[in-house]
Amino acid sequence: FSSDTNAATDTDAGGWTMRSILPFGPTPTMTTMGFRDLTICIVGTHTSGKSTIGRKLAKLLGCQFDAELGETERDSESLVEGGHLHGDGSSTTLLSSSPPGQEEDWDDFLLKRECERDALFQDSKSSIRVVETWHVGNAAWYKLRQQKSAANTDLERYKIAISKHQESSLVVVVQLMLTSPSTMVRRREIDTDNRKRLPMQDDEKECHQLYIALQDSINLKKDMLDPLGIPLLQVNNDVDGDEAMEKILMDILSFVQKRLHHQVLVASSE
């Protein structure tokens, strides 16, 4: 997808324009397609490449990249082994907003902050963004933590937040898949930052447990996306290297192009 910086369109977002995504026929606008913004959500398990792919995709599109709040909001200096299964990573005890501590529950805090970031994007002049994990991935982590504490799970609040965002933004979700936890172990051995972000005592054992747990915690398509009519692209990202990454980026851009084209057809038939 080449950038067409000379195209006259109100959908220009840095190096990206609607013309470069939909090169044929009259240039549609976000408004004529029934929405103002485009949100591309990147989800996936630990070491699946969300940050790397997300940042490169945002650079290609010339748009903003919103990193995973679960990482940017926590204190990286206080992380402990296994803490990610219970809250902000600094404890192996589930954080709660209940007395006597009065501290805000970690998942409640993330949901509130994510909604605040949604509002900032909608109020900005940007028309497109790439966001890592977002409400979709946060819901999976929330459900996993609730299972660990045998508490009731309420996914509706995440769907309500997404539905509200859909009032002005087309949402598409890209899930980066790993076929085996061995990829997780291998990438943690290569990249020390991965080990810092998610401390473990036994990498092989805990990567396997995390891989299975996140697979089982939520049926992404059935539980979250189908009820909201959100399209999902699942891409395998087991292979390292620039060539594999370039193919994934082209797959994502092609997917976005098809969804925008579909939205044009839907809007023109109404």
Side-chain angles (χ1 to χ4, degrees):
F1 288 82
S2 61
S3 170
D4 182 4
T5 54
N6 295 320
T9 169
D10 64 356
T11 59
D12 196 358
W16 175 86
T17 62
M18 185 66 76
R19 170 61 68 197
S20 64
I21 296 290
L22 293 171
F24 306 109
T27 302
T29 64
M30 292 291 190
T31 303
T32 59
M33 287 192 291
F35 58 90
R36 194 189 71 184
D37 305 318
L38 171 64
T39 293
I40 304 172
C41 171
I42 310 290
V43 299
T45 189
H46 178 55
T47 75
S48 62
K50 300 184 297 297
S51 299
T52 304
I53 295 293
R55 285 191 173 88
K56 288 186 177 293
L57 179 63
K59 185 176 181 179
L60 279 175
L61 295 174
C63 70
Q64 72 185 66
F65 172 73
D66 290 337
E68 181 176 344
L69 282 177
E71 289 191 6
T72 61
E73 292 292 335
R74 67 190 180 190
D75 182 4
S76 60
E77 300 301 319
S78 63
L79 302 181
V80 300
E81 287 88 351
H84 56 282
L85 295 177
H86 302 272
D88 67 355
S90 65
S91 171
T92 53
T93 302
L94 187 70
L95 299 183
S96 174
S97 56
S98 303
Q102 299 297 328
E103 68 271 15
E104 187 171 18
D105 178 81
W106 176 244
D107 291 298
D108 292 345
F109 168 74
L110 286 184
L111 178 61
K112 182 179 72 174
R113 284 286 292 113
E114 203 74 75
C115 289
E116 291 172 352
R117 193 163 64 170
D118 290 344
L120 288 174
F121 170 62
Q122 290 169 338
D123 291 341
S124 71
K125 294 182 179 180
S126 302
S127 59
I128 181 171
R129 69 166 171 166
V130 177
V131 57
E132 180 185 5
T133 302
W134 199 46
H135 299 295
V136 181
N138 290 339
W141 275 109
Y142 161 74
K143 187 173 181 181
L144 176 59
R145 285 190 276 262
Q146 294 299 97
Q147 289 173 343
K148 296 291 287 186
S149 64
N152 293 328
T153 303
D154 177 22
L155 294 179
E156 285 303 311
R157 60 184 190 160
Y158 294 96
K159 288 192 276 189
I160 290 172
I162 295 171
S163 179
K164 181 178 180 181
H165 192 65
Q166 286 179 292
E167 293 175 4
S168 63
S169 181
L170 175 67
V171 176
V172 297
V173 175
V174 177
Q175 184 178 17
L176 300 175
M177 310 286 289
L178 300 181
T179 58
S180 167
S182 61
T183 302
M184 201 183 296
V185 175
R186 173 170 55 80
R187 287 178 176 167
R188 283 176 60 85
E189 291 175 349
I190 297 171
D191 187 353
T192 56
D193 285 342
N194 278 323
R195 298 199 295 273
K196 291 179 182 177
R197 286 196 296 267
L198 206 66
M200 295 179 179
Q201 290 182 328
D202 184 332
D203 269 27
E204 188 166 345
K205 177 182 177 181
E206 293 179 50
C207 281
H208 178 77
Q209 291 175 338
L210 181 60
Y211 179 85
I212 298 300
L214 287 176
Q215 294 277 91
D216 292 343
S217 70
I218 185 170
N219 185 321
L220 189 63
K221 193 171 186 300
K222 176 176 175 291
D223 294 344
M224 294 291 295
L225 305 184
D226 283 352
L228 297 171
I230 296 177
L232 170 67
L233 172 68
Q234 294 179 312
V235 185
N236 184 285
N237 191 28
D238 277 307
V239 181
D240 298 333
D242 292 341
E243 185 176 344
M245 186 178 300
E246 182 177 346
K247 182 181 184 307
I248 289 175
L249 290 169
M250 291 303 102
D251 285 345
I252 295 173
L253 288 171
S254 177
F255 176 68
V256 171
Q257 181 187 43
K258 289 176 182 177
R259 297 316 306 176
L260 289 174
H261 181 67
H262 173 75
Q263 186 68 26
V264 172
L265 295 178
V266 170
S268 63
S269 66
E270 294 179 347

